Amino acid sequence: MEFILNNRKYSILNHELYINYLMVDSYFKQFSKYDYDIHFDFLDAILEKEKVEFDDILEGTRELEELIDREEINFLPTGVVIDQNVNEKFKITYQTLEFDDVNVGEAIPLLICLTSLVNARPVVSLYQIDDELQNFLKKFRKYEG
């Protein structure tokens, strides 16, 4: 999948995007600071399996591709700005929220979390979104290291 944001072209392999959604789903179920009703229906089939095969990921990826093609899912909230720092890390800004030194591998999951929280009902405050995303990055970086 390719997308243009702030006149810059980015790309991610569709199966990587699918895996990122799995990671974010797991985060919201196990580690989020607050309780949200955030659920990705297209993940239900793989999450119900006792044993996941590579073909299951490919099938889920195809379903995600269809949702993207029909514009039923989007991981970029309107108004998000992504800048690349000199150190090759990203600065992601949304309204008054700012996340500096975001690694390449953190950017897409962070954007999925951000979009999920922005679209959540009942509405989540910017303060709570910031708090939740800081927690997400902390947990994600703990897993990386």
Side-chain angles (χ1 to χ4, degrees):
M1 167 184 200
E2 293 183 339
F3 58 97
I4 296 174
L5 189 62
N6 308 341
N7 296 319
R8 188 174 176 114
K9 186 176 181 180
Y10 297 94
S11 65
I12 182 170
L13 297 174
N14 289 348
H15 71 275
E16 290 174 343
L17 183 59
Y18 182 76
I19 291 168
N20 280 301
Y21 270 99
L22 284 168
M23 291 173 17
V24 170
D25 183 75
S26 177
Y27 169 78
F28 279 122
K29 287 179 180 171
Q30 298 177 30
F31 302 109
S32 64
K33 290 184 80 171
Y34 306 94
D35 188 27
Y36 307 100
D37 186 23
I38 294 175
H39 179 79
F40 306 108
D41 293 339
F42 67 93
L43 297 177
D44 288 347
I46 199 166
L47 294 174
E48 292 170 357
K49 294 193 175 280
E50 195 168 304
K51 182 179 178 187
V52 175
E53 304 285 336
F54 186 69
D55 285 342
D56 299 323
I57 293 171
L58 294 178
E59 179 60 35
T61 300
R62 283 189 287 277
E63 187 175 345
L64 177 59
E65 289 168 349
E66 290 172 11
L67 292 170
I68 291 168
D69 288 343
R70 292 192 310 259
E71 298 180 3
E72 293 179 20
I73 196 165
N74 185 356
F75 62 91
L76 296 170
T78 303
V80 72
V81 177
I82 300 176
D83 295 308
Q84 194 163 4
N85 297 334
V86 178
N87 63 3
E88 298 299 314
K89 293 186 179 185
F90 297 99
K91 175 181 166 184
I92 298 175
T93 307
Y94 177 76
Q95 295 188 15
T96 60
L97 307 179
E98 192 172 284
F99 304 93
D100 289 316
D101 292 326
V102 176
N103 293 320
V104 171
E106 299 168 341
I108 298 297
L110 181 72
L111 289 167
I112 293 169
C113 278
L114 172 60
T115 303
S116 299
L117 292 167
V118 166
N119 295 332
R121 296 294 175 257
V123 174
V124 180
S125 71
L126 283 177
Y127 173 81
Q128 188 172 326
I129 291 172
D130 183 49
D131 192 33
E132 191 67 65
L133 293 179
Q134 294 297 342
N135 187 61
F136 172 79
L137 286 172
K138 180 180 167 188
K139 295 289 184 190
F140 195 91
R141 289 173 178 161
K142 183 178 178 183
Y143 177 74
E144 282 181 329

